[in-house]
Amino acid sequence: MLNLGPVGVWLFGGTPAPVRVEREQLRRIERLGYGSVWSGETVGNRDAFARSGIALAATERLAVGTGIANLWARPAPTMQAGGRALAEGYPDRFVLGIGIGHPFQAAQVGEEFTTPLTRMRNYLSRMDEEAAVNPPAA
C-alpha cells in the first residue's frame, strides 16, 4: 500500500538541478526519513514522468508524486500510459497528480485557457477511455 509518510518534500518546479545533483539530494531526503517527494511541471521544462522516473530509480522506498503533471504537456492517452508505466514499475511508490496549469502554459502550446473544469473532465474521461482500451498487462 502506498505510504506517503507524515511529511513530504516539494522539489522546485522551475528549472531543476542537474540530474546528478538531484539524485544525490533525493538519496539524502530518503536518508533523512521523509516519506515522499513532489514536483511540478512547466511546459517545455523537464518532463514530469522523466523526473519522477529519475527519482524512483535513485531511491529505494521514497514515494514520488507529480504535483502536477500538466495536461497541456501531453495528450490524455500519453498521460495515462506514462502514469501507468511508473505505477507498474514502482508499485506503491508513484502518485500521478494532474492539473490544468495556467493560461500562459495553454498559450505556449497554441491552446486557449477556457472552461478549465470542462477541459479537465474531458481530459480525465479520455484517460479512462484509454485505460479501458489498453488495460495494464497481467
Side-chain angles (χ1 to χ4, degrees):
M1 184 164 92
L2 182 65
N3 181 4
L4 301 176
V7 178
V9 174
W10 173 255
L11 303 176
F12 180 64
T15 303
V19 171
R20 175 189 56 76
V21 172
E22 195 157 277
R23 279 188 192 121
E24 291 168 2
Q25 294 306 312
L26 287 160
R27 290 181 191 119
R28 181 174 181 232
I29 289 166
E30 187 172 53
R31 282 192 311 272
L32 289 171
Y34 290 95
S36 58
V37 293
W38 301 84
S39 64
E41 174 179 51
T42 58
V43 176
N45 209 326
R46 191 170 292 153
D47 177 82
F49 294 123
R51 191 172 192 191
S52 295
I54 290 165
L56 289 160
T59 59
E60 295 180 17
R61 61 166 181 75
L62 205 58
V64 175
T66 60
I68 58 153
N70 195 303
L71 68 75
W72 304 108
R74 65 196 54 79
T78 305
M79 181 81 79
Q80 192 277 335
R84 181 180 65 207
L86 287 175
E88 286 180 17
Y90 298 91
D92 299 324
R93 291 188 54 211
F94 179 69
V95 178
L96 176 59
I98 304 166
I100 192 85
H102 303 281
F104 77 89
Q105 294 168 325
Q108 285 177 312
V109 296
E111 295 281 346
E112 290 187 36
F113 192 89
T114 58
T115 62
L117 182 57
T118 299
R119 184 174 290 269
M120 179 59 82
R121 284 182 179 145
N122 292 338
Y123 191 90
L124 294 173
S125 292
R126 288 194 308 273
M127 285 181 67
D128 287 343
E129 291 165 7
E130 181 64 22
V133 172
N134 293 307

